[in-house]
Amino acid sequence: MDIAALIISGLAAVIAGLGTLLSNKRSKEALQQSRKAVTTSLWSAAQEAVQRLIGFDPTMEPVGERLANLRIATIDLADEYTDWDGLDVWLEAERVLGATLGRQVMDAAEPGDTVEQRLERLDPLMTWALALSQNLRLFRAKGYDGPALLKLRAHAEELVKDIHERHGWQLPPTSNPRLKTLD
């Protein structure tokens, strides 16, 4: 009788141990799937914000809301990928470039523009949005690439500088002296 109870207790312990292992495995899989859903959602939100800028004509409706959506989506993305050094700075440089290109389109627009003229003036903004979309897709698929982020950031900043100089505009501020980071 004691041996039967010992065997039954041993089997119960083995079954409980296996159940615990399976439960832990399923929990880890569920956590991975949940994490994947979060990152997929963040990449999708960033892409959606960029897509809303493709084919957009800032002379027909305000650009501010679309740029705000882009900023919000890219901040969320950068906050998730804190180990991607330079992602936040590149994304902000791209947003500033988008705002600059939107301003260029609005300044160049004339009331009597033909369809061809309007499309020609919109081309830099649309081309930028398409390139940003493609770069986001590449980073999502391939992962972090620090040197590429540095090059893209420098390129965006150089374009902003060139456009501002060409039009005689003052460069946008790069910081706010009234704000400082928490130490």
Side-chain angles (χ1 to χ4, degrees):
M1 195 71 115
D2 288 336
I3 293 177
L6 185 61
I7 291 172
I8 291 173
S9 295
L11 284 173
V14 168
I15 290 170
L18 288 174
T20 301
L21 287 174
L22 287 173
S23 178
N24 286 343
K25 180 181 175 187
R26 287 185 184 141
S27 293
K28 286 179 184 177
E29 289 171 356
L31 184 60
Q32 288 172 342
Q33 290 298 319
S34 174
R35 187 87 175 123
K36 183 178 178 183
V38 167
T39 59
T40 296
S41 173
L42 293 171
W43 285 105
S44 294
Q47 275 294 348
E48 181 180 343
V50 173
Q51 295 302 314
R52 290 181 34 84
L53 288 160
I54 296 173
F56 170 69
D57 185 349
T59 64
M60 302 302 285
E61 61 182 282
V63 71
E65 182 181 335
R66 291 177 193 244
L67 290 172
N69 289 341
L70 178 65
R71 184 181 60 247
I72 291 164
T74 57
I75 286 172
D76 285 345
L77 189 62
D79 284 349
E80 180 66 22
Y81 288 89
T82 56
D83 56 333
W84 286 27
D85 190 37
L87 178 65
D88 56 342
V89 181
W90 167 61
L91 291 170
E92 178 58 15
E94 291 289 353
R95 188 199 61 79
V96 170
L97 178 56
T100 299
L101 291 167
R103 179 180 180 188
Q104 178 177 276
V105 169
M106 290 186 292
D107 280 3
E110 298 289 333
D113 281 349
T114 66
V115 172
E116 291 81 19
Q117 289 170 321
R118 176 169 272 159
L119 288 174
E120 184 179 324
R121 290 188 172 120
L122 285 173
D123 184 64
L125 181 62
M126 287 190 292
T127 303
W128 162 77
L130 286 167
L132 179 56
S133 174
Q134 185 63 24
N135 287 330
L136 286 170
R137 290 177 69 216
L138 286 171
F139 279 117
R140 180 180 181 183
K142 302 215 182 242
Y144 178 70
D145 184 344
L149 281 175
L150 286 173
K151 287 179 187 176
L152 289 169
R153 173 187 169 196
H155 180 69
E157 290 173 345
E158 188 62 34
L159 287 174
V160 167
K161 183 180 172 191
D162 291 347
I163 293 168
H164 278 78
E165 284 178 1
R166 184 173 47 233
H167 294 287
W169 302 335
Q170 197 172 50
L171 283 171
T174 57
S175 65
N176 184 338
R178 296 177 294 193
L179 301 176
K180 68 177 195 171
T181 59
L182 298 174
D183 296 324

